[in-house]
C-alpha cells in the first residue's frame, strides 16, 4: 500500500533529481530538446522535463570523445495497449541496447566520435531523423 507520504517523498526525490540534471544542461542539450520538440510537436519545456526523468547519462556518453555514436528517443503511448491518446505520450531516451520499445523513434547519429561534441558543431557532426511507428526489438 502506497501512502500519501510515500508519494510526496517520491515526488520530492524526482524534483530534486530533475533540478540536479537541469543544472548540467548546456547548448548541446538545448539543441537536442529543440529537435525532439519539433519532431514530437511538443513544447520544449515538456520535452526537457521528460528527458530529465530518463537516463541523462546517455547524453553525456553521446557528447564525449569516443562516446556512443547513436542516441535514440522514443515517443511512446503511455497506455499498455499501445494505442495513442492525444497528450499521453512519454519520451524515453535509450542507446537502443537495453529495452524493447514501440512508438515513434527519433534517432541521432554522430558522424564521427573522435572528438568531444561541442555546441557550435552540432549540425555538422550529428544528424537527426524520425521513424514513425518503428518497433525496435532488442
Amino acid at each position: 500500500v502506497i501512502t500519501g507520504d510515500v508519494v510526496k517523498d517520491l515526488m520530492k526525490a524526482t524534483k530534486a533529481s530533475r533540478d540536479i540534471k537541469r543544472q548540467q544542461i548546456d547548448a548541446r542539450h538545448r539543441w537536442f530538446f529543440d529537435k525532439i520538440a519539433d519532431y514530437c510537436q511538443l513544447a520544449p519545456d515538456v520535452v526537457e522535463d521528460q528527458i530529465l526523468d530518463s537516463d541523462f547519462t546517455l547524453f553525456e556518453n553521446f557528447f564525449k570523445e569516443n562516446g556512443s555514436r547513436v542516441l535514440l528517443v522514443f515517443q511512446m503511448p503511455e497506455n499498455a495497449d499501445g494505442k495513442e491518446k492525444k497528450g499521453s505520450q512519454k519520451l524515453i531516451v535509450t542507446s537502443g541496447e537495453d529495452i524493447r520499445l514501440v512508438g515513434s523513434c527519433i534517432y541521432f547519429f554522430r558522424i564521427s566520435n573522435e572528438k568531444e561534441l561541442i555546441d557550435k558543431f552540432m549540425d555538422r557532426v550529428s544528424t537527426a531523423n524520425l521513424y514513425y511507428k518503428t518497433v525496435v526489438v532488442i
Side-chain angles (χ1 to χ4, degrees):
V1 176
I2 298 177
T3 65
D5 290 338
V6 171
V7 171
K8 286 179 185 176
D9 289 343
L10 288 172
M11 289 174 67
K12 280 183 188 177
T14 299
K15 184 181 181 324
S17 174
R18 270 191 201 154
D19 290 344
I20 290 168
K21 292 174 184 177
R22 199 175 312 274
Q23 293 173 0
Q24 299 171 11
I25 293 173
D26 61 25
R28 300 172 300 176
H29 298 90
R30 295 269 175 235
W31 183 89
F32 275 94
F33 298 162
D34 289 345
K35 293 280 187 198
I36 295 165
D38 286 345
Y39 282 126
C40 296
Q41 299 177 344
L42 296 171
D45 59 324
V46 171
V47 170
E48 182 178 315
D49 283 345
Q50 288 196 27
I51 296 293
L52 291 177
D53 287 341
S54 66
D55 188 355
F56 201 64
T57 60
L58 292 172
F59 281 96
E60 300 312 313
N61 190 37
F62 187 78
F63 296 150
K64 73 181 184 180
E65 181 179 343
N66 297 316
S68 175
R69 294 184 66 180
V70 177
L71 185 67
L72 305 173
V73 178
F74 276 84
Q75 184 180 25
M76 300 177 50
E78 286 203 57
N79 49 341
D81 63 5
K83 294 181 181 174
E84 294 183 26
K85 293 180 184 174
K86 185 121 175 119
S88 66
Q89 300 295 305
K90 181 173 182 157
L91 296 175
I92 305 284
V93 179
T94 179
S95 62
E97 300 173 357
D98 46 1
I99 55 178
R100 179 181 177 172
L101 299 167
V102 177
S104 299
C105 174
I106 304 161
Y107 69 90
F108 296 91
F109 179 75
R110 267 185 84 170
I111 297 164
S112 172
N113 66 347
E114 294 174 359
K115 295 182 180 178
E116 181 179 353
L117 189 56
I118 57 175
D119 61 335
K120 67 181 182 177
F121 298 121
M122 292 295 288
D123 285 323
R124 284 194 235 161
V125 296
S126 64
T127 67
N129 287 295
L130 173 66
Y131 282 124
Y132 290 100
K133 304 298 178 203
T134 299
V135 177
V136 174
V137 179
I138 311 295

